[in-house]
Amino acid sequence: MISVFRRFVNKVFRDLFNRKGELKIGLYGPPNGGKTTLANRISQDWLGEDVGSVSNMAHETRAIQQKEEIHVKRGKKELTFNLVDTPGIATKIDYEDFVKSGMKVQEAKKRAKEATKGVVDAIKWLDEMDVVIVVLDASIDPFSQVNITIIGNLQARNIPVLLVANKVDLKKASVKKVQAAFPQYEVVGISAKMGKHMDKFYESLFAVAG
Amino acid sequence: MITLQFVPYTEMEGLSQAKRLRKILSLVKEEKIVLMEGRLKSPDDADLIKEAMQEIDEKFKGIEIAEVNPEHGENTPFFAKVKGNFVNMLIGDRAGMTIIGPATVIKEIKKDPNKIQLFASDANGKKKRR
């Protein structure tokens, strides 16, 4: 109830002082879905610079990262927004998993501590978002509780959602499975790494945020 | 040995959100797998994850969670969904079930809309299907 009220107050203030470029678009999803890869792709496409570093090891992004004033053009349409890349949301974090990936114990413990803080921050920032791009790895099972929790919380807050099935370049990827798991949303299948279907992505982004 | 604890809806409905989440986390931190009648609403589920993250240390590694909502399966007929929503309006999110357990005990929960497979770790750290 309090968060709904806070969001309402935030929205009223935002609408009152709305200026071009203040639209906040957040990238949310579980770890290793490709949020930062997509953030880098968008930022490279329109600003020519990266947002953050990417890695195969989970929880590479452990703090909120922002790129301000991204100006996207499609024909006569224009969209200016601040892009917010968030740490992956997980229900468990074990430093031993990082050790197994070759990290030293102290470094792994530090990474795990930062990752837990990152998850808390990502959830806290939900109320700040105007639009959210949920980035899921299309090659893994979409019926995870983290995915359901993220999407359920966005629905409850009435935040518009663009659902992205990323990594369609992988053999196991299935956009259909993601679509079946969340039939209430249109799903855009892309490969942020390869830049595949980005035109369709921007078209959908305009439909949701424009 | 795995301990399962059933938590009926009536035990949770009168509690504040903070107390509900505390109760769940306390049971999970005692290494019990909680079988809760009904489902966690938004933002309770996100707040549970947030609370769990804040308590992670060398012993407690977080939680595994899954819920089953029989009224909202992929192949559920339209009228069954409407009926389910109507029942939920009357009695709250009592339909379905939520499973929450410590990540050190539950290695993985695989689910489709109507079925849950729980993989617990045995004494050797290997996965075992339940």
Side-chain angles (χ1 to χ4, degrees):
Chain A
M1 192 66 195
I2 293 167
S3 71
V4 171
F5 179 71
R6 194 169 56 215
R7 180 160 171 75
F8 174 74
V9 172
N10 282 347
K11 188 169 169 31
V12 168
F13 271 86
R14 238 187 342 252
D15 289 348
L16 271 175
F17 302 104
N18 195 21
R19 286 179 304 151
K20 212 176 178 184
E22 285 198 337
L23 182 76
K24 268 202 185 82
I25 299 184
L27 289 157
Y28 274 81
N32 267 10
K35 295 177 292 301
T36 306
T37 306
L38 179 56
N40 286 345
R41 172 67 60 187
I42 297 168
S43 187
Q44 279 290 350
D45 281 352
W46 305 99
L47 294 177
E49 54 193 61
D50 277 349
V51 174
S53 61
V54 293
S55 149
N56 287 332
M57 200 183 285
H59 301 289
E60 178 68 12
T61 306
R62 300 183 295 284
I64 304 279
Q65 311 180 118
Q66 279 198 78
K67 273 283 172 221
E68 295 188 345
E69 296 277 316
I70 295 183
H71 193 68
V72 179
K73 277 186 184 176
R74 273 187 70 82
K76 288 179 183 176
K77 291 181 190 169
E78 293 181 20
L79 186 65
T80 304
F81 56 88
N82 296 343
L83 188 65
V84 185
D85 182 27
T86 66
I89 294 180
T91 60
K92 58 180 179 183
I93 294 170
D94 187 351
Y95 78 90
E96 285 173 10
D97 290 339
F98 303 135
V99 174
K100 281 176 200 159
S101 303
M103 203 171 259
K104 286 181 181 167
V105 173
Q106 281 311 313
E107 202 185 340
K109 283 182 180 175
K110 186 172 172 265
R111 188 182 179 95
K113 201 174 172 62
E114 288 170 355
T116 58
K117 189 181 175 300
V119 175
V120 173
D121 288 344
I123 293 171
K124 281 183 184 166
W125 271 66
L126 270 175
D127 283 318
E128 304 296 320
M129 300 301 162
D130 299 301
V131 174
V132 165
I133 302 165
V134 176
V135 186
L136 304 182
D137 180 342
S139 70
I140 59 173
D141 179 19
F143 287 108
S144 82
Q145 196 59 39
V146 164
N147 297 348
I148 292 163
T149 298
I150 294 169
I151 288 172
N153 275 266
L154 292 167
Q155 260 178 336
R157 288 166 165 86
N158 287 321
I159 299 173
V161 172
L162 173 57
L163 194 49
V164 167
N166 192 24
K167 307 191 185 184
V168 294
D169 54 303
L170 300 180
K171 263 189 182 175
K172 279 171 72 185
S174 170
V175 179
K176 274 186 186 170
K177 267 190 186 171
V178 178
Q179 184 69 78
F182 303 103
Q184 68 273 43
Y185 294 105
E186 190 198 327
V187 177
V188 190
I190 65 161
S191 167
K193 188 178 173 183
M194 304 298 179
K196 208 173 169 185
H197 304 316
M198 287 306 288
D199 264 2
K200 208 174 165 203
F201 166 79
Y202 287 121
E203 195 182 305
S204 303
L205 185 62
F206 269 91
V208 173
Chain B
M1 191 177 70
I2 290 174
T3 311
L4 303 175
Q5 180 152 343
F6 178 67
V7 179
Y9 185 82
T10 47
E11 219 172 276
M12 299 296 245
E13 65 179 339
L15 301 177
S16 65
Q17 192 221 35
K19 282 185 179 164
R20 274 198 306 274
L21 300 186
R22 177 52 31 215
K23 187 182 176 81
I24 294 168
L25 273 181
S26 298
L27 290 169
V28 169
K29 288 185 88 174
E30 287 168 20
E31 304 225 311
K32 289 175 180 165
I33 296 174
V34 178
L35 301 175
M36 194 181 78
E37 185 186 7
R39 289 168 293 124
L40 284 171
K41 290 181 201 163
S42 304
D44 285 15
D45 48 2
D47 287 341
L48 178 66
I49 295 174
K50 213 160 69 179
E51 293 291 320
M53 283 294 126
Q54 284 165 336
E55 298 198 16
I56 284 184
D57 54 29
E58 290 203 15
K59 200 173 163 224
F60 179 66
K61 312 285 188 185
I63 58 171
E64 275 289 358
I65 178 169
E67 58 183 36
V68 175
N69 180 8
E71 301 294 346
H72 286 82
E74 194 186 327
N75 302 315
T76 309
F78 174 75
F79 287 108
K81 282 186 185 178
V82 172
K83 188 179 139 204
N85 288 336
F86 182 67
V87 171
N88 281 345
M89 270 170 59
L90 293 176
I91 62 169
D93 272 353
R94 197 170 182 165
M97 171 148 297
T98 307
I99 301 175
I100 310 150
T104 44
V105 176
I106 302 177
K107 283 292 146 201
E108 193 183 358
I109 302 177
K110 278 188 180 177
K111 62 172 281 195
D112 64 31
N114 299 320
K115 187 176 74 181
I116 283 185
Q117 282 181 303
L118 192 149
F119 296 85
S121 61
D122 64 15
N124 301 320
K126 288 178 184 166
K127 278 202 298 192
K128 238 181 191 177
R129 192 165 70 180
R130 301 278 161 181

